[in-house]
Amino acid sequence: MALLHRAELRPSKLELLAGWLPGRPWFTGGADGPVTRVAAYRFDDPAGEVGMETLLVRAGDGPVLQVPLTYRGAPLPGAERFLVGVVEHSVLGRRWVYDACGDPVYPPALAAAVLADAGQAEEHFEVDGEREVRAPSMTVAGSRTDRALPAGPVDEVVDGDPTVIRVDGVELALVRRLAPADTPADAPADAPAAGRFTGVWPGRDAPELLAYAR
């Protein structure tokens, strides 16, 4: 479960991404155009300390891009290359925002979604002391495999499309540029039949490959 706050962020997530995305090797879109939100999904941090949210966004008239982020209450030592920026949260205070691929809490959550169909976190707002469920903006589905979930530290992150996270003998491949709604989504040749994570959102009715394990 992800507990959300009705809060203001300065800069906003999309403003932050507008400055960060053009520097990525997998970026495609209008570098000077607005970044717009398409959909999003979240994973749970078992310790309840780190927020994990994956945004699907578009820069100008470019393709839909997949951007997983983590939100932390303090800087993550050794993760400077993955820092997206710092925001002021009107409820939680200063938050450090990272490309989740380089945050140690994210690969286990992604692996569980890909290999064990762990799904996404249910999102809640707290309103007058009561929790109110927020309807998801997209649905996701993984595979049910008998493969052991990686539990060790991340060995390497290769930032490309896909972005490859090597951890505990497993390669997790996160697709960055998603197929247009009017184009059939062809799975990469190295994506196994089992070990895929897909999503559906408004405007994309057929499951789109988001990530896979190899």
Side-chain angles (χ1 to χ4, degrees):
M1 181 185 70
L3 182 59
L4 310 178
H5 300 272
R6 298 190 187 279
E8 181 181 358
L9 272 69
R10 294 184 180 177
S12 70
K13 298 171 190 176
L14 297 181
E15 289 170 339
L16 200 63
L17 290 180
W20 179 79
L21 281 171
R24 302 307 100 202
W26 40 266
F27 173 76
T28 302
D32 298 325
V35 174
T36 56
R37 181 183 185 275
V38 176
Y41 62 93
R42 286 179 177 263
F43 293 146
D44 273 326
D45 170 21
E49 294 294 327
V50 181
M52 282 186 279
E53 179 181 31
T54 298
L55 296 174
L56 304 189
V57 300
R58 182 180 281 115
D61 58 358
V64 175
L65 304 174
Q66 182 173 206
V67 186
L69 301 172
T70 54
Y71 309 110
R72 288 179 167 269
L76 176 62
E80 291 79 10
R81 67 173 273 219
F82 299 105
L83 181 66
V84 177
V86 180
V87 301
E88 293 293 338
H89 190 288
S90 61
V91 175
L92 300 175
R94 184 162 294 179
R95 307 295 285 175
W96 280 258
V97 183
Y98 290 91
D99 176 354
C101 294
D103 193 313
V105 303
Y106 178 72
L110 179 62
V114 173
L115 298 172
D117 194 20
Q120 62 183 308
E122 188 174 75
E123 299 179 6
H124 291 254
F125 282 115
E126 193 159 296
V127 180
D128 297 329
E130 304 219 354
R131 288 183 179 173
E132 179 182 291
V133 177
R134 181 167 80 170
S137 60
M138 63 183 291
T139 58
V140 298
S143 302
R144 292 189 177 275
T145 73
D146 58 2
R147 294 177 63 177
L149 298 181
V154 172
D155 298 313
E156 185 181 17
V157 178
V158 181
D159 192 12
D161 187 24
T163 293
V164 177
I165 307 168
R166 296 189 174 101
V167 54
D168 202 14
V170 174
E171 287 191 348
L172 299 170
L174 180 86
V175 180
R176 292 294 197 168
R177 290 186 294 258
L178 305 180
D182 57 355
T183 302
D186 296 324
D190 61 352
R196 299 185 183 189
F197 181 58
T198 61
V200 174
W201 59 91
R204 188 59 165 172
D205 299 326
E208 168 78 8
L209 185 67
L210 301 175
Y212 54 99
R214 60 192 185 191

